Amino acid sequence: MGFFDDFPKFYKTSQTSPFPDRLNSRHIAIIERNADLIRGKRVLDIASHDGRWSFAALQAGAAHVTGIEPRQELIDNAINTFSEYGIETSRYEFLCGDVFDHLSNKKFDVVFCLGFYYHTIRHAELFDLIERTGAKLVIIDTEVTPIVDELPDVVNSDPRLVYENPYGVQLLLDKVDDQQMACVDSLTRNGQTIVGRPSRNAVKFIAKHFGYTTETFNWNEYTSLNPEVKSTMHDYSEGWRDTFYCSK
Ligand SMILES: C[S@@+](CC[C@H](N)C(=O)[O-])C[C@H]1O[C@@H](n2cnc3c(N)ncnc32)[C@H](O)[C@@H]1O
């Protein structure tokens, strides 16, 4: 039994990978591993979707959660689910819109950036806004460039390295009418906007710039020990998605 098996509404309120094995495995990496750091804290959930991680944070004892999500129908799903599972309305709020329009002058202890860091090209700007919230823990769960394509990190590297620079970002297009992708923004043309899939080293590089040290979940070990989950977790098991814990 995993966490979401007790709250099966979340298997129905989204079309974005609502698979039990996947959600429950992600819960272990995102919530269980950090339960002591979430309990009693104010949490920001960027790209809160159908409220799955906001809900899980509250169940882990978070004092309050703020979700930011541009798709109103997903916020409506979240509010319905929270109501059905008896969560007090004073413990959460959902803001409808683009995260870049909602973060000024807000304070949080913990920030979730789950399934979103590869749906923006504004990686450094987003981390800047997150750091200004005062968060001590930032959990980023994101697609990354595959391990085979990555150059090793450079210790004490020249900050303006030209050759063998390992801090790459792949440029991609997101369809803005797809529920799981970027929303319409000023970069959108013909229904698509420019986003970037960062390398692991790019995530760590940006976090370090803003004063955070980064660890990652060992998805290789987890999926080897739990091979039954692999069918819904190719991105993690094949090394092109990772979960980062950035702390200060
Ligand atoms: C892949 S889903 C991730 C859902 C959930 N956070 C998770 O990890 O399971 C991406 C979400 O980002 C939201 N999103 C897209 N552009 C956004 C933006 N500019 N600001 C906030 N959320 C955004 C989408 O509407 C969608 O709900």
Side-chain angles (χ1 to χ4, degrees), residues 16 26 45-49 52-53 68-71 74 97-100 114-116 118-119 179-183 241:
T16 305
R26 293 179 72 205
D45 183 11
I46 294 170
S48 52
H49 203 68
R52 45 177 67 156
W53 303 115
I68 303 178
E69 167 58 52
R71 296 184 162 99
L74 287 166
D98 185 329
V99 61
F100 292 97
L114 310 173
F116 179 67
Y118 59 105
H119 292 305
Q179 181 198 78
Q180 60 186 300
M181 297 202 182
C183 63
R241 186 165 180 132

Side-chain angles (χ1 to χ4, degrees), residues 207-238:
K208 186 176 172 198
H209 178 73
F210 291 105
Y212 292 82
T213 53
T214 302
E215 293 173 61
T216 53
F217 188 74
N218 192 338
W219 282 111
N220 191 26
E221 180 182 79
Y222 178 87
T223 52
S224 300
L225 291 172
N226 301 278
E228 71 283 1
V229 307
K230 278 191 186 175
S231 63
T232 60
M233 302 202 69
H234 289 298
D235 42 1
Y236 294 97
S237 66
E238 292 168 10

Side-chain angles (χ1 to χ4, degrees), residues 13-55:
T13 51
S14 160
Q15 285 101 52
T16 305
S17 306
F19 313 117
D21 281 345
R22 183 177 174 90
L23 285 178
N24 290 326
S25 297
R26 293 179 72 205
H27 183 270
I28 289 168
I30 292 165
I31 305 291
E32 276 184 33
R33 183 206 181 264
N34 300 296
D36 290 346
L37 302 170
I38 291 170
R39 197 171 305 116
K41 297 294 174 23
R42 295 184 66 82
V43 175
L44 167 66
D45 183 11
I46 294 170
S48 52
H49 203 68
D50 62 349
R52 45 177 67 156
W53 303 115
S54 296
F55 180 86

Side-chain angles (χ1 to χ4, degrees), residues 98-114:
D98 185 329
V99 61
F100 292 97
D101 297 332
H102 282 286
L103 279 194
S104 56
N105 300 319
K106 293 207 171 60
K107 293 291 167 203
F108 297 100
D109 306 302
V110 177
V111 172
F112 294 171
C113 181
L114 310 173

